[in-house]
Amino acid sequence: MNGIVVAVVGALLCFYGIRSVNLGVLAIGFGLGWLIADLFNATFWWLVLIGLIGAISAWVVTSLVFRFASYFIGGLAGAMIGTKLATVLQPGDKNVALSMIVALAMGVAGAFLAEKFRARALLWLTSIGGASMLLSGLGRMSDSLAFLREPETGWQQVTSTLAWIGLSVLGWITQRHLFAEKLGIQHLAGDDDKAAEQRKRNGGWPTS
């Protein structure tokens, strides 16, 4: 059970995150809270608690500032990716200050990408962020997979990074085909003018 919760949430975000903005916000908030708490080697129940607080906080803030929701969602997802990136790039003991700087930089980048590219950016952000959570969950399920969560220098870093890239691409391909209509990919969705116009009025974001 130690890693099942975060692995399930990660898989949901990676392969299903674009389906609903609300679902994506909750999963991203949970994942960000979990990964930040994990930097401090928190216990499982503290990880779950901080993750839930993150999910609820993300949903509440997004609801209150919906006008700037694209910035906020992209920023959260970028910060989650940055937190995982800091873990992969720092084998052994983690420099928390450096990790926060990386998370902040990725958060800012994610915010601007989401504002500029809307649903297309959300597709990439949910795939990459969900893959990072899924790997962290798998790394908690077995000692033999622990390197997926905290890789050491050498082959573990390489393998963990390749697994992250592979899962991210798989998530991107899966969501792109499952939710082609929401993304406005006409040749995959058999789109019509009415659906395209609805998405245009919605700023390019999924409508549900």
Side-chain angles (χ1 to χ4, degrees):
M1 181 179 177
N2 217 5
I4 293 177
V5 175
V6 73
V8 169
V9 174
L12 186 67
L13 185 61
C14 184
F15 299 104
Y16 206 72
I18 198 69
R19 175 64 180 83
S20 167
V21 171
N22 289 326
L23 173 65
V25 168
L26 289 170
I28 289 169
F30 181 90
L32 179 59
W34 177 288
L35 291 175
I36 289 177
D38 201 31
L39 287 174
F40 297 92
N41 295 315
T43 63
F44 173 72
W45 290 111
W46 272 109
L47 289 170
V48 172
L49 178 61
I50 299 301
L52 290 175
I53 291 174
I56 295 171
S57 300
W59 185 82
V60 170
V61 174
T62 303
S63 299
L64 292 176
V65 294
F66 192 76
R67 180 180 178 183
F68 305 101
S70 56
Y71 278 111
F72 190 69
I73 296 170
L76 282 176
M80 181 171 62
I81 294 169
T83 303
K84 178 63 177 178
L85 185 63
T87 301
V88 172
L89 296 178
Q90 296 183 89
D93 293 335
K94 306 295 183 295
N95 185 321
V96 177
L98 179 60
S99 299
M100 292 299 101
I101 292 173
V102 173
L104 179 61
M106 291 298 296
V108 172
F112 280 98
L113 286 173
E115 175 62 19
K116 183 174 180 61
F117 297 106
R118 302 283 176 162
R120 298 300 181 91
L122 186 62
L123 171 62
W124 274 110
L125 291 170
T126 55
S127 298
I128 298 172
S132 70
M133 290 177 62
L134 181 54
L135 290 177
S136 294
L138 291 174
R140 281 182 165 270
M141 291 182 188
S142 170
D143 291 340
S144 62
L145 296 176
F147 70 92
L148 294 175
R149 175 182 165 234
E150 292 187 346
E152 298 294 336
T153 303
W155 71 268
Q156 292 188 354
Q157 274 187 306
V158 173
T159 304
S160 178
T161 301
L162 290 177
W164 190 11
I165 293 172
L167 266 179
S168 300
V169 171
L170 182 60
W172 180 84
I173 293 173
T174 302
Q175 291 197 72
R176 189 171 182 269
H177 281 78
L178 286 178
F179 311 119
E181 182 178 348
K182 289 182 174 295
L183 293 165
I185 306 174
Q186 285 82 359
H187 70 281
L188 292 177
D191 209 359
D192 55 30
D193 294 338
K194 183 178 179 180
E197 182 62 26
Q198 287 177 339
R199 267 191 315 278
K200 184 178 180 180
R201 289 199 300 268
N202 196 41
W205 285 98
T207 55
S208 61

